[in-house]
Amino acid sequence: MAGKIQQLSEFVVIRSLKRFRETYFPNSGKVDKTPVEDTGEEEPRPGFLDSLPVDLQFLIMTFLSPADICCLGATSRYWRAMVRDPLLWRYFLLRDMPYWPSIDHVTMPQLELLEAPLINEDESLDDREEGEDKGMDLKFDYMSEYLKGCPSCRQQWLPSRPAYEVVTSFLQSLVASSEPRYAMFGTGMEQLDVSLVTRLMHAPDVLPVSGTPHRQINGIGSGISYIFNNQHKFNILTLYSTNRAERERARVEQQSISNKLFTLEGEDDSGYPIYSPAPQVQQVCQVVDGFIYVANAEPGRDGGRSEVSQIRAVLSSAGGSTSRPLLVLSCISREEPEAIRTTKQQNSAHRNTTRCRTPCVDMAKRLGLPQLDNPWMVQDTVAESLSGLLDGISWLLRCSGVKLYGS
């Protein structure tokens, strides 16, 4: 994560949970079978998990999914309070965010919450009477931020497909409709060892090629049409910065090349370059239904402020429309070797290893996406296997009004 974000050790979280338990549930670790004088009935005995040391309780929670932790909180008053500790969810955010395979404009966590210093590491943020300082409660609602952004929780929000929709979809397939069109550009198309565009054109098992439509755009061409889920057609127009020979030479020598898609007009007050898209690019931006930016997510390949400015230039050329979606494919050339991936899976509970790619949340911040008015999504993608691509295309088609269920 970014350097401004304070890391949180397990020791701090355990100390917070211990202090909370000692203050509000001092008898939770004890087994008391003393009869009540009036009725002679036994007081409720604490459950087995309630009696465990806090260290073990925390260890167990680190192996649970977010849904399981929420279910655990529904089992008793004690666990309801424990699983709502803000430091616990801040720890989960810092641990898991770098491993989320996607993030979008709705689920992006508020990174300023993680950049803010802890008010006091010696106490839990829940150590206040209920109703006290509700503004602070909202400011440090790490649990909501985690559940909002966690991919496994997001998947539960997708609508299920009603039975009548099967018949409706069949009838709609008999009616000709215009296919969505997207403009694809970005450094990741040209800098990676494996060409995403070439793999896409030769992967019928992932996205079958439907053909080339008759409509043309001057200086660009018509793009290539694909079929998603054997039903929905869409078109991608690929915008390269220069010709193939220059791109290949720049990739091998790892040098920058003159981008013929944009003209540098100067700098703004913040020091960001100001780009003007070429006339044919502006024409594309005005007719497409959305955009695909292929970013280079391999280590040490940060495109700097030029990436941010070029994305803004393309979106601003879309006729002032802020409804056209932007899909960012955060792309690397190849999957990690099997031995390294297995080791990381074994250590996944404590996230002790470093990923060899830029995390989605960091990519969104790097490209300035939270400041955009357009809907956007960042999706981890591998050029060689095209893993993650279909998830991104599915989101893009949904934003274009295509009805997809359970995909």
Side-chain angles (χ1 to χ4, degrees), residues 171-190:
L171 296 177
Q172 288 176 343
S173 66
L174 302 179
V175 181
S177 59
S178 59
E179 58 192 54
R181 310 177 74 186
Y182 306 106
M184 184 165 69
F185 66 108
T187 58
M189 294 195 310
E190 307 173 9

Side-chain angles (χ1 to χ4, degrees), residues 333-349:
S333 297
R334 299 176 179 84
E335 298 275 9
E336 296 176 310
E338 182 65 26
I340 297 178
R341 187 162 62 251
T342 301
T343 301
K344 291 187 176 183
Q345 289 174 351
Q346 292 172 350
N347 295 332
S348 61

Side-chain angles (χ1 to χ4, degrees), residues 249-314:
R249 177 170 51 83
R251 184 189 66 80
V252 173
E253 299 176 359
Q254 295 189 355
Q255 295 179 351
S256 60
I257 56 178
S258 176
N259 194 325
K260 298 180 180 180
L261 296 177
F262 303 94
T263 301
L264 180 61
E265 303 289 349
E267 293 184 353
D268 61 14
D269 296 336
S270 302
Y272 281 84
I274 300 175
Y275 288 103
S276 175
Q280 65 269 27
V281 177
Q282 294 185 26
Q283 187 178 1
V284 170
C285 295
Q286 293 171 3
V287 300
V288 296
D289 300 283
F291 304 92
I292 302 174
Y293 185 82
V294 184
N296 189 343
E298 295 182 345
R301 302 308 297 265
D302 188 344
R305 294 184 171 185
S306 61
E307 281 189 302
V308 179
S309 299
Q310 289 173 6
I311 290 175
R312 293 177 180 175
V314 166

